[in-house]
Amino acid sequence: MNTTGLYKCRTLALADARAVELAAALLSADGYACLALPAMHRLVVSYALPEHTLERALALVAPHGLLPPAGSLQAWHLKLILFAEGVQLSNLDTPVPDTKGRQAFSRIYQHHPHGDHDDTPEELRRER
């Protein structure tokens, strides 16, 4: 399985430096890797998808009032990320389809008559 798309790094814009420090402490305690940038009012959160999700991270900081306002661009961006991660997680649960390999199709193709087929009977071809 390809795991390169499962590692996520998200930047959250928070209200102030205190909110950044509090969110970093909450998320670090739950196993998220956090880089607090209080001067910029940003928090960089890193995680691997099957174990952690952005939805879980937001649920941890929501009771403390650390989420962006509902109508802000950041809130819409987070909703889009939540949707994309949900689709990615559901695709991880989907089994790999059982398909035929190239060998099966090449064998089938070899047994079909092709466009350059000579209808001359075998005994007449030997006489030439």
Side-chain angles (χ1 to χ4, degrees), residues 64-107:
H64 301 280
L66 303 177
L67 293 181
S72 69
L73 185 60
Q74 168 89 10
W76 284 103
H77 185 246
L78 292 175
K79 286 181 183 182
L80 179 64
I81 292 172
L82 292 177
F83 173 76
E85 283 186 4
V87 170
Q88 191 171 9
L89 287 171
S90 70
N91 287 344
L92 287 175
D93 293 337
T94 305
V96 177
D98 186 26
T99 59
K100 294 181 182 178
R102 286 178 37 189
Q103 292 292 338
F105 287 109
S106 65
R107 280 190 225 114

Side-chain angles (χ1 to χ4, degrees), residues 2-114:
N2 185 6
T3 60
T4 56
L6 300 179
Y7 183 76
K8 305 295 180 185
C9 185
R10 309 286 186 208
T11 303
L12 301 176
L14 300 174
D16 56 14
R18 183 197 63 79
V20 171
E21 296 294 338
L22 179 58
L26 289 169
L27 294 175
S28 294
D30 199 50
Y32 290 86
C34 297
L35 172 64
L37 304 170
M40 297 173 43
H41 299 200
R42 300 283 189 268
L43 176 65
V44 180
V45 181
S46 302
Y47 54 94
L49 239 194
E51 295 85 27
H52 297 91
T53 63
L54 183 62
E55 183 176 24
R56 171 81 179 131
L58 295 177
L60 288 171
V61 299
H64 301 280
L66 303 177
L67 293 181
S72 69
L73 185 60
Q74 168 89 10
W76 284 103
H77 185 246
L78 292 175
K79 286 181 183 182
L80 179 64
I81 292 172
L82 292 177
F83 173 76
E85 283 186 4
V87 170
Q88 191 171 9
L89 287 171
S90 70
N91 287 344
L92 287 175
D93 293 337
T94 305
V96 177
D98 186 26
T99 59
K100 294 181 182 178
R102 286 178 37 189
Q103 292 292 338
F105 287 109
S106 65
R107 280 190 225 114
I108 292 170
Y109 180 77
Q110 289 170 356
H111 295 297
H112 282 264
H114 304 293

